[in-house]
Amino acid sequence: MFIGREAELQFLENRYKAEGGQLVVLYGRRRVGKTETLRQFCKGKPHVFFACRECTDRLQLKSFSEKMMREEIPAKQYMDQFGDWEKAFRAVLDLPYNDKKKLLVIDEFPYMCKDNPGIPSILQNLWDEIFKDANVMLILCGSAMSFMEKEILAEKNPLYGRATGIYKMTEMGFYDAIKFFPEYSEREKILLYAVLGGIPHYLRQFDRRLSLADNIKENILTKGCALYSEVNFLLRQELRETALYNSLIEAVALGNTRLNDISQKALVDDTSKTSVYLRNLMEIGIIAREFSIDAGTKERANLSRGIYRLTDNFFRFWYAFVFTNYSDLEAGDVEGVYKYEVEPLLHEFGALAFEDVCRQYVQKLQRENALPFRYAKMGRWFGKTTVRDTTKETGLRIAETEIDLVAVSQQMKEYLIGECKFKGRPFGYQEYLDTRAKLTPEKERGKFFYALFSESGFDERIRDLAEQDETLYLYALEDIVNSRLHPDR
């Protein structure tokens, strides 16, 4: 059963129905489901789907020729193999698809170019000469993101400016990911997303008939299962010096987010070296550099500023619980590792993913015009701000803190301050006061609204206050997970 990817499929359909030649570049990190999405798109359409291999150019051309010769093209009457790539690609025009688009999908296109760097130039010449005006659709797909961005899409490269569509596929969002496990409770769905994120390949490894705990034990912690060795497999495919990368990723997974902290935890003396390695991890989509929502251009250009976070929830889980307990798991102590290492920390581990889910929920609210104003940007805020301090005469003091969610209108006249609590107790009134104290100096700029997101509901005092205060919005776990756009206030 194919799940989600409505936006990607609609994008491809629009390109397919458009007049004239179409050259589409679809790329994204490994495992996000590019191939399955393309196969779903191709259903019901005459097409040629060629999956490139890591092999010599001669073997690649031979395989492509064999694929094309399965179609009723004139060339098969007098040859077994095309003599060169130009003739092979030109044969797309001979595909017997009547008035329908002649659709060619080249999956893992970087493999095709690896042993023949001239491929993009050949395609460029054919595109400029005939394809751009023909009823043809070429889709170039790749997982090597740095290659796709620097060698295909970047300026001064042969295909630069030729693409009629460019789509970078990312992992599924929370609301598509949980469709794999409709029977799970709201709390289990949050934890499932915290463990696996939105990578379809990972989600398909879990058995929807098993509990979350049993799935973790059988399909992550057990030696020999696919997800047990997944991280090592991916890193070896993408990177060298995996030992150092392991140390850096583990440091980030365990909560070290600043460049200096990551270097110290990974025992790397030179932060500039750490920065280079982190940039490589960013290029393959494992780590992202995050800035406070109010950060300016100068701060973003400073390599020592910003914080680093794992974008892949599964990597974060694997390094927090598998990598740190590797010797015990190799010895088969699955039950012990789960009971003493995973289970006591799993709920707390889910808190960061809950924040991400809340931001996705706010995006849904915006699309349905269910917010008090339309925001222009949304993100986290971190830095020095006012916090409550009852020992001070003013009741406030300046301290380093974070705000889970800040959304700001275009003219910066409206602010939505969000606080997310993934805890086994209701959101308390004192916690609400702590939230309200943040960014006090900025309150002179415009109107502030507050959104509280809670796994375990809200205490009575907050509920009573929300009924009277038009600037306070409460969202319980059931509202968030089930996409209730207008929960009871």
Side-chain angles (χ1 to χ4, degrees):
M1 182 174 62
F2 186 84
I3 293 175
R5 297 305 187 189
E6 287 86 359
E8 288 85 349
L9 291 172
Q10 188 60 57
F11 163 77
L12 293 169
E13 285 291 342
N14 291 343
R15 293 295 92 211
Y16 185 76
K17 293 174 182 176
E19 291 186 1
Q22 298 296 313
L23 176 60
V24 173
V25 177
L26 182 84
Y27 71 107
R29 56 155 292 190
R30 296 184 189 278
R31 306 302 202 194
V32 295
K34 300 182 297 300
T35 300
E36 288 303 313
T37 299
L38 287 171
R39 292 196 181 281
Q40 183 72 15
F41 164 69
C42 289
K43 282 185 177 179
K45 300 179 180 71
H47 67 280
V48 173
F49 194 110
F50 181 68
C52 301
R53 300 177 296 161
E54 280 194 281
C55 62
T56 64
D57 183 56
R58 290 181 64 184
L59 279 176
Q60 200 85 257
L61 179 59
K62 181 176 183 294
S63 298
F64 185 80
S65 299
E66 290 171 351
K67 192 79 171 181
M68 291 294 293
M69 295 298 179
R70 294 175 191 172
E71 306 291 322
E72 293 301 319
I73 58 176
K76 70 184 298 182
Q77 304 299 322
Y78 55 86
M79 68 171 65
D80 296 324
Q81 180 179 332
F82 294 106
D84 56 54
W85 280 107
E86 182 178 348
K87 293 184 178 67
F89 289 137
R90 194 181 287 269
V92 172
L93 294 171
D94 297 328
L95 291 171
Y97 296 164
N98 299 321
D99 294 332
K100 292 187 178 181
K101 260 195 170 54
K102 301 178 192 302
L103 175 59
L104 169 64
V105 178
I106 303 179
D107 196 14
E108 292 302 346
F109 181 63
Y111 289 161
M112 181 179 281
C113 302
K114 189 173 182 179
D115 202 46
N116 187 345
I119 293 285
S121 294
I122 295 171
L123 284 174
Q124 176 218 323
N125 292 332
L126 288 172
W127 177 260
D128 293 344
E129 179 188 345
I130 50 174
F131 284 165
K132 69 177 181 180
D133 299 316
N135 194 25
V136 168
M137 183 173 182
L138 305 180
I139 301 178
L140 309 180
C141 178
S143 300
M145 299 214 294
S146 61
F147 177 88
M148 299 298 286
E149 291 176 345
K150 295 177 182 178
E151 303 297 328
I152 302 300
L153 300 175
E155 196 173 355
K156 297 182 180 179
N157 287 299
L159 292 174
Y160 175 75
R162 269 79 178 179
T164 59
I166 301 170
Y167 202 107
K168 182 178 180 179
M169 272 186 69
T170 56
E171 67 174 70
M172 285 180 169
F174 170 75
Y175 294 100
D176 278 338
I178 61 176
K179 291 176 183 176
F180 285 81
F181 294 86
E183 300 88 356
Y184 276 17
S185 69
E186 284 86 359
R187 182 175 287 104
E188 287 174 325
K189 287 175 180 176
I190 296 289
L191 293 175
L192 171 77
Y193 186 67
V195 172
L196 296 181
I199 301 294
H201 175 73
Y202 302 163
L203 291 159
R204 292 191 185 280
Q205 303 308 311
F206 272 25
D207 187 338
R208 61 195 301 175
R209 298 168 298 178
L210 299 179
S211 67
L212 179 62
D214 286 340
N215 262 315
I216 291 173
K217 286 186 281 188
E218 291 188 20
N219 295 306
I220 298 179
L221 303 183
T222 299
K223 182 180 179 179
C225 68
L227 293 180
Y228 181 80
S229 54
E230 170 70 7
V231 171
N232 281 331
F233 172 75
L234 278 178
L235 289 184
R236 289 195 184 100
Q237 273 197 317
E238 299 282 355
L239 304 164
R240 301 174 183 175
E241 299 182 77
T242 53
L244 179 54
Y245 282 107
N246 273 329
S247 300
L248 293 171
I249 299 173
E250 181 191 23
V252 178
L254 296 179
N256 301 277
T257 59
R258 301 282 182 180
L259 184 60
N260 284 335
D261 296 336
I262 296 169
S263 290
Q264 291 176 10
K265 180 67 177 178
L267 302 180
V268 179
D269 296 331
D270 187 355
T271 56
S272 61
K273 182 179 179 181
T274 300
S275 181
V276 170
Y277 282 85
L278 290 174
R279 196 179 309 123
N280 292 338
L281 291 170
M282 291 166 63
E283 285 186 352
I284 62 175
I286 293 174
I287 277 180
R289 189 168 167 224
E290 182 183 355
F291 293 89
S292 178
I293 190 173
D294 62 342
T297 305
K298 186 176 180 180
E299 181 177 354
R300 293 173 184 271
N302 189 331
L303 295 178
S304 65
R305 304 302 293 272
I307 63 175
Y308 294 87
R309 292 190 180 277
L310 288 175
T311 56
D312 188 314
N313 286 356
F314 177 66
F315 268 66
R316 182 169 164 258
F317 180 89
W318 194 90
Y319 278 95
F321 298 112
V322 178
F323 188 69
T324 55
N325 297 285
Y326 202 69
S327 59
D328 290 331
L329 293 173
E330 282 286 299
D333 188 17
V334 173
E335 290 293 337
V337 169
Y338 183 83
K339 181 177 180 180
Y340 296 105
E341 303 295 337
V342 180
E343 190 174 32
L345 297 174
L346 185 58
H347 192 271
E348 180 183 347
F349 178 83
L352 191 62
F354 182 63
E355 292 178 17
D356 182 32
V357 172
C358 292
R359 286 188 283 271
Q360 293 182 44
Y361 178 56
V362 170
Q363 290 171 340
K364 275 181 168 284
L365 295 176
Q366 165 120 312
R367 289 195 293 271
E368 299 296 330
N369 295 314
L371 292 173
F373 64 91
R374 183 167 184 82
Y375 65 81
K377 58 180 180 178
M378 177 182 66
R380 295 197 319 127
W381 185 97
F382 42 89
K384 289 185 178 181
T385 187
T386 49
V387 296
R388 280 203 320 136
D389 188 342
T390 55
T391 65
K392 300 285 186 180
E393 186 176 341
T394 61
L396 300 170
R397 65 181 173 86
I398 302 296
E400 286 279 351
T401 189
E402 297 183 1
I403 303 175
D404 300 333
L405 185 156
V406 176
V408 187
S409 66
Q410 184 69 50
Q411 303 300 322
M412 299 187 71
K413 292 182 178 179
E414 292 94 10
Y415 294 77
L416 180 69
I417 308 300
E419 193 74 26
C420 312
K421 299 292 183 186
F422 193 67
K423 296 180 178 179
R425 55 179 173 77
F427 203 122
Y429 181 72
Q430 296 300 319
E431 292 173 316
Y432 163 66
L433 293 180
D434 291 339
T435 301
R436 199 170 184 94
K438 296 174 181 178
L439 296 183
T440 295
E442 284 78 5
K443 291 178 182 177
E444 297 178 0
R445 297 181 186 175
K447 188 171 184 179
F448 273 59
F449 297 87
Y450 295 89
L452 309 183
F453 307 88
S454 175
E455 173 198 7
S456 305
F458 307 89
D459 70 18
E460 186 175 354
R461 197 169 177 183
I462 293 181
R463 293 198 305 271
D464 291 343
L465 183 61
E467 292 179 1
Q468 308 165 24
D469 188 346
E470 65 174 8
T471 67
L472 178 58
Y473 293 78
L474 308 182
Y475 301 103
L477 184 66
E478 294 78 12
D479 303 324
I480 299 163
V481 174
N482 298 310
S483 297
R484 293 177 188 163
L485 301 177
H486 300 284
D488 296 333
R489 297 193 61 201

